[in-house]
Amino acid sequence: MAGTSRDTGIKGFCTVEQHILSKQGEHPHATGAFSSVLTGIMLAGRIISAKVRRAGILDVLGETSEVNVHGEQQQKLDQIANKALETCLCYRESVGIIASEELDEPRIVRETSGKYVIIFDPLDGSSNIDVNVSVGTIFSIFERGTHNGAGHDHLADVLQPGRKQVAAGYIVYGSSTVMCYSTGEGVHMFTLDPSVGSFLLAQENVRMPVTGKYFSVNEGNYESFPRGVQEYLTWCKSPDAGPYNARYIGSLVADFHRTLLRGGVFLYPPTAKSPKGKLRLMYEANPIAMIAEQAGGKATDGTTDILDKAPTSLHERTPLFVGSVREVERVQEYMKRVGG
Ligand code: FBP
């Protein structure tokens, strides 16, 4: 599939739709319902990308007067991104339920029909929006439980463990707009070509390096990290380790994308301010964990693999340690040895 197409000279002149079609052979019962959801997410991604790229000259920067369920002041672009995803997804017949970081409760789009549940962080890294640093959209897709009409348990359809995701991914709005997604058969990366308005295949079956000398963490919280994490970070900075390079953008989607391609580990441990961790399980940790594992990496909350955690609420938080298998295991060893 990959490789340069002779007549266009554009590497991998393959769209996401073609890529899914090419995989359909492996899914004889595919109905197009899934690709319809993905094209909805990509359309919203193109709309958001266009706003983010012209943010300085459009009235989309800064805060709104509204506060979201987390008590955070909503950014204008948070709302714009959320609206774009809601609108693009709710048109699709195969969408039954959507849930978002910016919506207090799940939205039941179709009471009994609509096969899929889509949970998303419309604009991750909001603290970076106004300073032109990469931000992103993160999405997680589940299939609904059995449709039995009245009394259907919508919340049970949303609160499924990450291992049940049928697909997950993210879009980074960085120097270019890149989408990475997985349906459980590897991780594939597409770049938005604004000149043709399509996400084109950039790399298939992306593999995360097994090790990598990068650690990514907000060390401003160092004093309240668990001692095992403090000891691991001290080791990373020691001649014995190399030392490792510190990299922290402050947008999970961008810090993870670098970790996917270069290896290393991203850490958001429990802190005094966020004793359960800051990041949200359903629309940050779960989808990122699926991509990590599908690329050969690992994602844990320190003890349990993220994808094996049983969610109890839509906006629950979790500690997150994700990256190269060897690095995440090393953090866990330190946490076990030094006791959390
Ligand atoms: P939202 O911007 O979607 O709320 O995401 C949370 C986030 O911005 C992550 O993208 C990032 O990894 C983390 O918070 C940064 O937190 P901190 O500013 O505490 O380092």
Side-chain angles (χ1 to χ4, degrees):
M1 177 73 52
T4 302
S5 134
R6 259 183 312 288
D7 54 3
T8 65
I10 296 179
K11 179 178 166 209
F13 198 59
C14 164
T15 64
V16 175
E17 295 82 348
Q18 282 169 305
H19 193 250
I20 294 174
L21 279 176
S22 73
K23 302 276 174 199
Q24 223 137 38
E26 293 147 25
H27 306 281
H29 311 299
T31 61
F34 173 73
S35 6
S36 158
V37 170
L38 208 54
T39 51
I41 292 169
M42 287 189 290
L43 176 58
R46 292 203 301 271
I47 294 166
I48 300 165
S49 181
K51 297 277 186 200
V52 167
R53 300 220 167 287
R54 293 174 298 146
I57 51 177
L58 295 177
D59 178 23
V60 295
L61 292 179
E63 293 176 344
T64 68
S65 56
E66 277 147 67
V67 173
N68 67 16
V69 65
H70 317 282
E72 297 157 350
Q73 205 72 34
Q74 272 187 332
Q75 307 286 314
K76 287 182 188 164
L77 269 168
D78 280 331
Q79 289 190 344
I80 291 166
N82 193 60
K83 197 84 219 135
L85 280 152
E86 274 196 279
T87 311
C88 294
L89 286 170
C90 294
Y91 272 113
R92 267 112 179 129
E93 295 294 320
S94 51
V95 173
I97 301 175
I98 60 169
S100 163
E101 178 186 17
E102 302 305 334
L103 298 174
D104 298 7
E105 301 298 331
R107 178 175 161 188
I108 314 305
V109 182
R110 294 176 176 81
E111 195 54 42
T112 53
S113 67
K115 184 176 175 185
Y116 293 107
V117 177
I118 300 96
I119 309 174
F120 52 86
D121 178 351
L123 210 64
D124 172 65
S126 346
S127 61
N128 280 326
I129 295 176
D130 291 5
V131 289
N132 199 18
V133 171
S134 301
V135 290
T137 294
I138 313 177
F139 59 91
S140 168
I141 304 175
F142 292 95
E143 272 189 27
R144 288 177 94 169
T146 49
H147 305 300
N148 50 18
H152 189 65
D153 187 344
H154 301 309
L155 199 56
D157 282 335
V158 173
L159 297 183
Q160 301 185 49
R163 205 87 34 225
K164 286 264 184 98
Q165 292 173 103
V166 292
Y170 58 83
I171 303 174
V172 192
Y173 310 106
S175 42
S176 61
T177 295
V178 168
M179 177 173 84
C180 276
Y181 87 100
S182 178
T183 58
E185 287 150 20
V187 173
H188 312 294
M189 194 160 76
F190 294 77
T191 299
L192 176 62
D193 181 337
S195 69
V196 291
S198 285
F199 284 91
L200 301 179
L201 184 64
Q203 196 180 333
E204 238 184 339
N205 299 318
V206 178
R207 299 302 293 172
M208 188 190 287
V210 179
T211 63
K213 293 197 173 218
Y214 292 97
F215 67 93
S216 182
V217 67
N218 180 347
E219 283 209 84
N221 299 323
Y222 181 87
E223 287 311 320
S224 68
F225 285 160
R227 241 167 41 72
V229 174
Q230 292 176 337
E231 302 250 338
Y232 169 74
L233 294 173
T234 305
W235 174 82
C236 282
K237 291 179 256 184
S238 71
D240 180 24
Y244 280 32
N245 297 298
R247 293 283 186 277
Y248 192 69
I249 297 167
S251 297
L252 167 66
V253 74
D255 280 313
F256 174 74
H257 191 62
R258 182 201 54 252
T259 307
L260 173 69
L261 301 179
R262 290 276 174 77
V265 61
F266 171 88
L267 313 90
Y268 209 108
T271 63
K273 195 167 148 224
S274 312
K276 293 199 175 127
K278 176 183 180 182
L279 302 172
R280 280 45 67 106
L281 175 62
M282 298 308 288
Y283 41 80
E284 289 172 325
N286 266 344
I288 293 291
M290 180 175 181
I291 298 292
E293 287 202 8
Q294 281 292 314
K298 187 176 171 61
T300 169
D301 66 3
T303 45
T304 310
D305 283 356
I306 294 290
L307 296 180
D308 295 328
K309 288 169 74 83
T312 53
S313 70
L314 173 59
H315 300 291
E316 73 178 83
R317 298 175 189 265
T318 178
L320 177 63
F321 304 91
V322 59
S324 301
V325 171
R326 190 64 208 97
E327 300 309 325
V328 176
E329 286 169 351
R330 205 191 302 269
V331 178
Q332 287 184 292
E333 282 154 22
Y334 269 89
M335 292 176 84
K336 215 180 282 162
R337 198 167 56 235
V338 185

